[in-house]
Amino acid sequence: MSQSLLRALDLLDELAAGPASLDELASRATVHKTTVMRLLHDLEERRFVVRDEQQRYRLGRKLFALSSLALEQRGLRAVAHPHLARLNETTGHTVHLAAFEGPDVTYIDKLESRHPVRMYSRIGLTAALHAAAVSKVLLADLPRERRASIAAGIEYTGFTERTITQASALLAELDRVAAQGWALDASEHEEFVHCIAAPIRDASGRVVAAASCSVPVVLLDQTGLLGLLPELLACTDAISDDLGWAGRANRAG
């Protein structure tokens, strides 16, 4: 590998830790400042790095575009499935993976409970935007104006007496989910089932999917359900790590 390429990659590694000025990068490099400046100029020209108003360099959009393409080629479901399988094996309960497909939240993977009770859901079905925990997780990551627009357009079918039936109540719930980093479906879609869900993030920190544990209320009460949260969060963190997310320590909740 050429020396120039290696040095450019070293600079990208440095910037992965955070923005830095030319002087800061040169002080940590093994080559002259003019060489660092030339490499940065080339990287900036190709949009691998960008300068902010303080003349500090940071990773550019070209890297994010390439990383997104690389992750798409791996396949979200393929990356997530081994972790979901371990969660399913450990807890014994139904595990779902869901993501946006257009305007809908769709189940893209499911691992069945080892208990005889089965969920209505299956791969390819959509989840209720105002009732499912996976939907709440995905909606909570959207900009507030987008949340409000979606909430205003939902047909608020009352599946159970606990179902959210107003846009204002859903938006308040999404604020809670965004703050705590996970969501609860307290028998809001099916009377005999409750569910917890947590976000899966890509390298940019964007929530690209949600994983959940669904449990019949006859097997676990709500306290028992919430007791599964550490294992669920460990699972979603591990998937996010595999997708390139480096912000585990900053996860809320």
Side-chain angles (χ1 to χ4, degrees):
M1 192 180 294
S2 74
Q3 288 299 309
S4 293
L5 178 56
L6 285 171
R7 289 164 183 162
L9 293 174
D10 286 342
L11 287 173
L12 294 176
D13 278 339
E14 288 283 348
L15 292 175
S21 67
L22 170 60
D23 287 340
E24 290 170 334
L25 291 169
S27 70
R28 299 194 288 264
T30 58
V31 294
H32 195 272
K33 180 177 178 179
T34 55
T35 301
V36 175
M37 184 167 59
R38 175 177 56 79
L39 291 170
L40 288 169
H41 178 269
D42 291 340
L43 290 168
E44 187 177 20
E45 191 172 61
R46 299 297 299 272
R47 302 294 188 267
F48 284 99
V49 301
V50 64
R51 268 182 292 178
D52 61 22
E53 296 167 350
Q54 288 76 44
Q55 298 300 303
R56 290 167 65 81
Y57 290 87
R58 63 179 70 240
L59 298 179
R61 67 174 184 267
K62 183 68 172 181
L63 273 177
F64 292 113
L66 289 175
S67 66
S68 294
L69 287 171
L71 294 174
E72 287 173 10
Q73 290 169 7
R74 292 179 69 189
L76 172 62
R77 185 181 175 191
V79 172
H81 188 83
H83 299 285
L84 300 175
R86 282 192 288 273
L87 179 65
N88 173 254
E89 177 66 25
T90 301
T91 65
H93 298 299
T94 302
V95 173
H96 292 106
L97 178 68
F100 273 119
E101 289 192 359
D104 299 317
V105 173
T106 302
Y107 294 110
I108 60 175
D109 203 357
K110 179 183 181 182
L111 293 97
E112 292 282 4
S113 167
R114 59 172 168 256
H115 302 287
V117 181
R118 291 290 184 264
M119 309 291 110
Y120 86 97
S121 58
R122 67 173 184 269
I123 296 171
L125 285 185
T126 57
L129 293 179
H130 62 299
V134 289
S135 297
K136 294 177 186 178
V137 165
L138 289 161
L139 290 171
D141 188 61
L142 298 176
R144 286 182 179 275
E145 59 273 17
R146 181 66 180 140
R147 290 187 215 169
S149 175
I150 292 173
I154 290 174
E155 182 178 345
Y156 287 90
T157 302
F159 299 108
T160 76
E161 63 180 16
R162 300 175 185 83
T163 306
I164 293 171
T165 56
Q166 293 182 331
S168 59
L170 177 60
L171 292 172
E173 174 75 351
L174 296 180
D175 283 340
R176 283 190 290 273
V177 172
Q180 69 192 12
W182 53 273
L184 172 68
D185 163 4
S187 298
E188 296 163 47
H189 191 266
E190 295 179 279
E191 193 70 46
F192 67 93
V193 175
H194 49 186
C195 176
I196 49 173
I200 294 168
R201 300 179 185 275
D202 66 9
S204 71
R206 183 173 62 94
V207 174
V208 294
S212 68
C213 282
S214 298
V215 185
V217 295
V218 296
L219 295 179
L220 285 178
D221 61 13
Q222 190 170 117
T223 299
L225 176 69
L226 294 177
L228 300 175
L229 191 57
E231 291 168 286
L232 175 62
L233 290 172
C235 174
T236 54
D237 278 351
I239 298 169
S240 299
D241 282 351
D242 281 356
L243 292 175
W245 184 55
R248 175 187 294 207
N250 297 321
R251 173 174 52 76

